[in-house]
Amino acid sequence: MSGSRLAGLRRTAGDGSREEVSLAEVLQGKTEEEGIEILVRLVTEEVAAIMGTSVSELNPLQPVSDIGMDSLMVVELAAALDERIGLRIPPVSLSGGATIRSIAERFYQMTVSREGGASDSESELVDTMSRQHGVELSADMKETLLKQ
């Protein structure tokens, strides 16, 4: 992950200066719940910026589609999260009932346990979404989606 992609992740050093840090560094030494809460804050900030609302007005357990995010906003959210924390998530996975918390949980799992190929949960998500939309994906198409 490059430093510029993680511009939104900064830590204040002892001398008061701010330094860029990777998501893995931010999560290092944190419990799973602490890590997820950090990510909930980051995702909530991005959703609030896109929606033009304050962070305090958002419920992390409410589906993003229920707070008024349309498909274009979901694409914008995926791009913003990729830019801010350096993890790519297909916009389709942010729809279909995804909440701020479920997005944060997914990023947490991607950060701490993913070394290379797609996880079983990602594969299951693609299968579920394709069934819900009546689309049959070839193995090559699914693999391409999971790499994004």
Side-chain angles (χ1 to χ4, degrees), residues 90-143:
V92 70
S93 67
L94 301 178
S95 58
T99 66
I100 290 170
R101 178 153 180 107
S102 69
I103 294 166
E105 289 169 346
R106 181 158 182 220
F107 277 133
Y108 181 83
Q109 290 305 316
M110 289 170 70
T111 303
V112 299
S113 67
R114 190 167 136 176
E115 295 289 319
S119 69
D120 289 340
S121 64
E122 289 173 313
S123 183
E124 289 171 18
L125 177 65
V126 169
D127 290 340
T128 300
M129 293 299 292
S130 62
R131 276 193 308 275
Q132 286 177 343
H133 293 282
V135 176
E136 189 167 331
L137 298 175
S138 69
D140 288 341
M141 291 171 76
K142 184 174 173 181
E143 183 177 333

Side-chain angles (χ1 to χ4, degrees), residues 29-63:
K30 304 282 191 269
T31 66
E32 181 175 349
E33 189 56 35
E34 290 169 332
I36 290 170
E37 286 305 315
I38 289 167
L39 290 166
V40 164
R41 282 193 301 273
L42 290 172
V43 174
T44 302
E45 289 169 4
E46 292 300 329
V47 171
I50 291 167
M51 298 294 298
T53 189
S54 71
V55 169
S56 63
E57 292 181 37
L58 297 174
N59 176 352
L61 301 177
Q62 184 176 14

Side-chain angles (χ1 to χ4, degrees), residues 77-96:
L77 176 61
L81 292 171
D82 181 22
E83 181 67 28
R84 183 159 183 192
I85 63 178
L87 292 174
R88 182 169 287 173
I89 188 167
V92 70
S93 67
L94 301 178
S95 58

